Amino acid sequence: MIPVRGYEGRKVAVLGLGRSGLATARALIAGGAEPCLWDDSPEARANAEAAGYSLTDLTRGNAWDEVATLIVSPGIPHLYPEPNKLIARAMAAGVPVDNDIGLFFRSWSTPDWDDMDQVPKVIAVTGSNGKSTTTALIHHILQVAGRPTQMAGNIGRGVLDIEPAQDGEVVVLELSSYQTELARAMTPDIAVFTNLSPDHLDRHGGHGGYFAAKRRLFAEGGPDRAVIGVDEVEGRFLANQLAQGVGDDRVIRISSGVKLEGPGWSVFARKGFLAEWRKGRQVASIDLREVRGLPGAHNHQNACAAYAATRTLGLAPKLIEEALHSFEGLPHRSQLVGERDGVRFVNDSKATNVDSAAKALQAFPKIRWIAGGLGKDGGIASLKPHLGSVVKAYLIGHSARDFALELGDTPHEICETMESAVARAAEEAEAGDVVLLAPAAASFDQYPNFEKRGEDFAARVRALIG
């Protein structure tokens, strides 16, 4: 773990006792602080006590005496739609509010770094879609390159749960808007912004607040390099804000679908080919069409982001290309789970909204689409421009009939359950088809989370194909 520095002998309140909260408690104890732990959930408090932790009832007025700071888990609102009552109390009392990301950046570097040949680095990835895949892909490329590396944050382990740095190590962090919005310290060496689409708007007070939360990763500490997706206006604005001139290669612009021109540093993918340009000329190219773990334009954007980030570390294009081909993808994100008689079965259970479903639907030419679940506001009407590749839809869950009404002329069948949908799609599929789970809906009508939904899909596919 990373012992928290700067709070030796002082009280630190921790609100939220999930994965990150308990990791924070351990790191505070290791750093000599006195954590005061609390959770609004009785179940979470009971689990913490069962794990051997002592609790402090932060709802009592005297509990805040001599508290140096309050560390908040990411799922707890601190501003919109309204602050948690204990966070509001801390703010009223003038107690600084922070999170584990802020503690990590305060504590990551240590005096023994002076004896290292290569100073460790941090790559931090944020954005609306693709940040998990991009983070995992960067981590994979570094592993193939033989660089010591750890992955943490919104994926894998909590940031304070990783091991202290080795000589030349690169830590890759996935950071959500919940994490970037509140952290009081963020100083990555390389920061990556994939894209922006509406999400968590109630938590951030609207689209502008959501973008502002992401932007803090670049504005607070000032990374040495910034990799910016410029396919939306917010990305173009951010790249413009960070660059000091047209040739400033501290900012690397990336795109999926648009050729980027100019004297600066850019990486873009068009028609299945990734191209790197510097100072007005092309310096490398990679054919992404046969990279099975990264299908579709949205994954090609992820490839561009990971390529750019690892190029800033001096990795050779050929080595990165080799690593792209050995990347198997993340579970539930365009994950190939089986193949039979020329039919591929792809699990994109993470496609819980129309934007991510649209990207999945654009990744394959002939799709038998399994969709449905607990639909979100607005339904799937906005997906109509992306249904041209859908041979037939197989609808499941609470919103199956609502989705059917919005599909227009697209052939469809109401299957209700995953078992029925997989069986019918597999029965009707022909060579060259892709049976794609991209629900465009939440999972909570039939499953506790999108992971369990994807696991059910994968299990039924494997049972069918043997």
Side-chain angles (χ1 to χ4, degrees):
M1 76 178 67
I2 306 298
V4 172
R5 304 170 66 197
Y7 293 102
E8 295 85 350
R10 303 174 74 187
K11 290 183 178 180
V12 177
V14 178
L15 179 60
L17 301 179
R19 184 193 66 169
S20 67
L22 293 180
T24 298
R26 290 190 292 271
L28 285 166
I29 293 169
E34 179 185 342
C36 304
L37 310 182
W38 189 250
D39 196 295
D40 291 332
S41 163
E43 181 181 1
R45 296 198 299 267
N47 290 339
E49 287 186 309
Y53 293 96
S54 298
L55 303 181
T56 300
D57 188 349
L58 295 178
T59 64
R60 296 180 178 178
N62 62 359
W64 294 91
D65 294 347
E66 300 180 354
V67 168
T69 190
L70 170 64
I71 307 302
V72 178
S73 292
I76 303 173
H78 58 272
L79 185 57
Y80 302 117
E82 62 179 352
N84 174 279
K85 291 180 180 180
L86 292 177
I87 297 176
R89 178 179 290 184
M91 290 181 176
V95 175
V97 179
D98 202 352
N99 62 15
D100 62 335
I101 304 302
L103 294 182
F104 169 82
F105 279 109
R106 287 183 55 150
S107 308
W108 171 237
S109 63
T110 56
D112 63 351
W113 285 22
D114 294 339
D115 299 323
M116 294 183 179
D117 292 330
Q118 279 188 289
V119 173
K121 293 183 180 294
V122 174
I123 300 176
V125 180
T126 196
S128 295
N129 296 304
K131 57 184 179 293
S132 293
T133 296
T134 299
T135 301
L137 182 55
I138 293 170
H139 180 61
H140 174 75
I141 294 169
L142 291 167
Q143 288 178 313
V144 171
R147 292 287 294 267
T149 179
Q150 298 182 76
M151 180 173 65
N154 204 45
I155 185 173
R157 306 163 73 183
V159 290
L160 294 171
D161 218 18
I162 66 174
E163 299 304 316
Q166 299 180 44
D167 195 331
E169 185 164 33
V170 182
V171 168
V172 192
L173 303 180
E174 177 193 340
L175 299 182
S176 71
S177 57
Y178 292 1
Q179 294 168 311
T180 58
E181 184 177 43
L182 191 58
R184 297 172 71 91
M186 285 188 292
T187 53
D189 299 279
I190 302 160
V192 179
F193 176 86
T194 58
N195 51 57
L196 197 80
S197 61
D199 207 359
H200 310 304
L201 300 190
D202 59 335
R203 175 68 182 265
H204 297 296
H207 195 72
Y210 177 51
F211 174 53
K214 299 286 190 186
R215 184 181 179 276
R216 288 190 75 248
L217 179 62
F218 302 84
E220 292 301 306
D224 295 334
R225 299 276 189 182
V227 177
I228 309 293
V230 295
D231 289 334
E232 295 87 27
V233 64
E234 291 87 356
R236 294 190 289 274
F237 172 82
L238 180 58
N240 184 270
Q241 288 273 296
L242 295 173
Q244 296 299 311
V246 292
D248 187 353
D249 66 1
R250 293 173 301 174
V251 178
I252 308 174
R253 293 168 172 82
I254 63 167
S255 174
S256 176
V258 176
K259 180 180 180 180
L260 301 177
E261 299 178 333
W265 194 350
S266 62
V267 179
F268 56 88
R270 293 184 71 207
K271 299 180 180 179
F273 286 87
L274 179 152
E276 177 188 4
W277 283 67
R278 296 188 74 172
K279 298 180 180 179
R281 66 184 185 89
Q282 183 172 321
V283 297
S285 177
I286 296 175
D287 185 351
L288 299 174
R289 294 173 298 177
E290 298 304 317
V291 179
R292 292 174 67 85
L294 296 165
H298 62 304
N299 273 313
H300 292 176
Q301 183 188 58
N302 299 334
C304 289
Y307 176 95
T310 50
R311 283 288 283 146
T312 68
L313 298 174
L315 272 61
K318 284 294 184 185
L319 188 152
I320 299 173
E321 181 176 8
E322 174 191 338
L324 294 180
H325 280 281
S326 61
F327 182 67
E328 295 182 354
L330 285 178
H332 319 300
R333 297 164 174 87
S334 297
Q335 176 195 19
L336 179 65
V337 297
E339 188 168 354
R340 184 182 70 176
D341 299 331
V343 177
R344 287 181 287 165
F345 296 82
V346 174
N347 168 22
D348 205 331
S349 183
K350 184 65 169 64
T352 58
N353 57 46
V354 294
D355 185 71
S356 51
K359 290 179 170 60
L361 291 172
Q362 294 173 71
F364 307 100
K366 293 176 62 184
I367 296 172
R368 293 190 179 272
W369 178 34
I370 299 177
L374 190 61
K376 299 187 176 182
D377 290 346
I380 58 169
S382 61
L383 287 176
K384 287 184 179 178
H386 309 294
L387 298 179
S389 59
V390 176
V391 178
K392 184 176 178 179
Y394 305 82
L395 304 176
I396 64 173
H398 178 271
S399 297
R401 286 167 176 78
D402 292 336
F403 280 18
L405 294 173
E406 298 182 87
L407 285 175
D409 296 332
T410 301
H412 60 270
E413 179 178 337
I414 294 176
C415 296
E416 302 285 0
T417 67
M418 185 71 73
E419 179 180 16
S420 174
V422 170
R424 291 290 296 143
E427 179 184 344
E428 296 183 345
E430 301 173 352
D433 288 356
V434 171
V435 176
L436 171 69
L437 171 65
S443 60
F444 306 125
D445 57 333
Q446 296 178 315
Y447 302 92
N449 50 53
F450 73 83
E451 291 96 342
K452 291 297 183 185
R453 177 171 60 191
E455 289 167 7
D456 188 25
F457 171 78
R460 297 188 185 283
V461 168
R462 290 174 183 131
L464 274 176
I465 66 179

